[in-house]
Amino acid sequence: MRILHVVNHTRRQNGNVHAAVDLACAQSELGHEVTLCSGGGDFEPLLRANRVAVETLPDLLAKGRLLQACRALRALAAARDADIVHAHMMRSAGLAWAATRFSHARLVTTVHNAFEKSAILMGVGDRVVAVSEAVGVGMRRRGIPAGRLRVVLNGTLGNARHRHEPPPKPLTLEYPAVLSVGGLHPRKGVLDLLAGFSQARRARPELHLYLVGGGPCAAEYRAAVAAADAGHVHFCGSHADPRPYMLGADVFVLASHADPAPLVIPEAREAGLAIIATRVDGVPELLEGGAAGVLVAPQAPAEIAAALLAVLADARSLADHRARSQINLRRLSVQRVAAETLAVYDEVLRPRARRARPSPIGRETVRNGQAPT
């Protein structure tokens, strides 16, 4: 099969990019002819090393050059004789839709950031892949027909980004070490985590919290650290590979208010951490419904504090929660993601699917005054 992936860029520290790169490499390993087109970025050498052809189109990122980007992408799809064009971001999806009209290539889109209102634009695909069941439910409610929507749960274990690297060395962190990895912005619930951690420290003053990530609210969050917690909350900045922190920590906490299917959960599980995470979007699916970690309500610092104290009650409790994180871990492999995604491609390439090409969002047939479901 000839597959053309399209992303805005291939820069590090972007979960959508990681998912697309992992998938492209896994599909190439299975013997498919895979190309990844972007505006450029960090992962191009890795892609080439994994026999993924790389095409850089600067117009994909350039403002005011949509027509040029569309023409270039259409020419590339024709030159590659692509069977499937797979878009992973909203700008690239719109360009890919225009580029694949009146061609034999079929368009597949993946909804990564379903919390964004503009994610409805991903519905232009002949098939729309949701990265969790929760995202699938949300997209159906927003008008994506169930007949075009498929769910492929995110997974990243065994990816090419890490497979050929030397094993990371764990950092030496203060025990007990609580870790969170993610952007420093409101959606990640950092203020809830800081408040919950502070409450937990009233009973366990020896706790330390490590925040790995950067973002626009870094200064605000530093200022929000309680005076009593000074020296126990560590802002570690952004790191291309957070695994040394994961291997050195004891408990991983994700306090997000919204998170479709964060790749950091499989990574934290693979590192053997005890997991505490909010019950939002696809997070429960990544934690086996709570069997592989402790689920708490979003925006509930008291629940975070209680969970931390329960997990760290004694050495046996921590060991038990670490062991829980390994339940059904293989399900989160990128090889499973690749196989399920290829099944979506096979489905959309069937002769019947070719004859019934769907219309873009906003032009669906309306029957009896009702939007299609």
Side-chain angles (χ1 to χ4, degrees):
M1 191 182 302
R2 292 176 293 277
I3 305 162
L4 173 61
H5 289 279
V6 188
V7 292
N8 297 357
H9 59 81
T10 58
R11 300 171 190 150
R12 293 185 182 274
Q13 299 173 336
N14 182 298
N16 300 1
V17 170
H18 291 180
V21 168
D22 293 348
L23 179 58
C25 291
Q27 290 172 336
S28 175
E29 188 174 299
L30 290 171
H32 298 280
E33 187 177 318
V34 183
T35 301
L36 190 142
C37 174
S38 81
D42 304 309
F43 284 116
E44 293 184 355
L46 172 74
L47 290 161
R48 292 189 180 99
N50 284 273
R51 299 181 301 281
V52 175
V54 174
E55 293 286 347
T56 303
L57 294 181
D59 285 342
L60 284 178
L61 292 175
K63 292 182 179 180
R65 296 187 64 81
L66 290 176
L67 182 59
Q68 293 88 336
C70 180
R71 287 173 175 169
L73 187 57
R74 184 176 183 84
L76 175 61
R80 295 288 181 179
D81 194 22
D83 300 305
I84 294 289
V85 176
H86 190 156
H88 297 264
M89 296 177 178
M90 281 169 275
R91 181 182 176 90
S92 58
L95 292 170
W97 177 81
T100 55
R101 296 308 88 183
F102 312 111
S103 76
H104 77 274
R106 310 298 285 169
L107 176 61
V108 174
T109 59
T110 292
V111 183
H112 294 279
N113 294 337
F115 52 84
E116 296 180 0
K117 291 182 179 179
S118 53
I120 191 66
L121 297 175
M122 302 302 286
V124 298
D126 298 303
R127 288 295 182 274
V128 180
V129 176
V131 295
S132 66
E133 291 285 353
V135 168
V137 170
M139 296 308 289
R140 285 194 293 273
R141 288 174 179 166
R142 294 170 69 177
I144 304 298
R148 286 199 278 128
L149 191 63
R150 301 293 179 267
V151 175
V152 178
L153 181 66
N154 261 352
T156 189
L157 306 188
N159 65 74
R161 288 179 292 116
H162 296 152
R163 191 184 310 140
H164 303 300
E165 297 176 351
K169 295 181 180 179
L171 291 175
T172 301
L173 307 179
E174 296 287 344
Y175 175 86
V178 180
L179 173 68
S180 187
V181 178
L184 299 182
H185 52 75
R187 182 174 61 85
K188 290 296 185 178
V190 178
L191 290 177
D192 302 327
L193 174 55
L194 290 174
F197 175 77
S198 186
Q199 292 177 31
R201 279 201 69 241
R202 294 170 193 168
R204 295 288 301 273
E206 73 276 23
L207 289 176
H208 283 259
L209 173 62
Y210 295 83
L211 297 171
V212 175
C217 299
E220 175 189 347
Y221 295 161
R222 287 178 183 272
V225 175
D229 298 323
H232 287 257
V233 177
H234 310 271
F235 288 85
C236 305
S238 297
H239 290 266
D241 186 356
R243 290 179 298 165
Y245 283 92
M246 290 182 174
L247 293 172
D250 303 292
V251 183
F252 180 84
V253 182
L254 187 69
S256 297
H257 298 169
D259 234 330
L263 295 178
V264 71
I265 291 288
E267 292 170 351
R269 290 184 57 187
E270 184 180 36
L273 288 164
I275 313 288
I276 299 169
T278 44
R279 192 181 295 105
V280 297
D281 300 328
V283 172
E285 297 168 49
L286 295 172
L287 288 174
E288 309 300 325
V294 179
L295 292 170
V296 298
Q299 304 183 58
E303 290 195 25
I304 293 174
L308 282 171
L309 294 176
V311 169
L312 293 167
D314 52 44
R316 180 172 181 177
S317 175
L318 177 58
D320 287 346
H321 282 86
R322 281 181 174 273
R324 282 175 56 182
S325 73
Q326 304 305 292
I327 294 173
N328 205 19
L329 185 59
R330 290 184 179 180
R331 185 172 73 104
L332 301 180
S333 73
V334 70
Q335 288 74 27
R336 188 267 306 162
V337 173
E340 292 182 8
T341 304
L342 287 167
V344 175
Y345 296 172
D346 286 337
E347 175 189 320
V348 79
L349 287 170
R350 291 172 189 163
R352 180 176 296 178
R354 290 196 186 99
R355 291 195 296 270
R357 194 179 190 91
S359 300
I361 292 297
R363 298 178 61 185
E364 296 283 344
T365 301
V366 177
R367 298 178 180 175
N368 301 322
Q370 299 294 319
T373 58

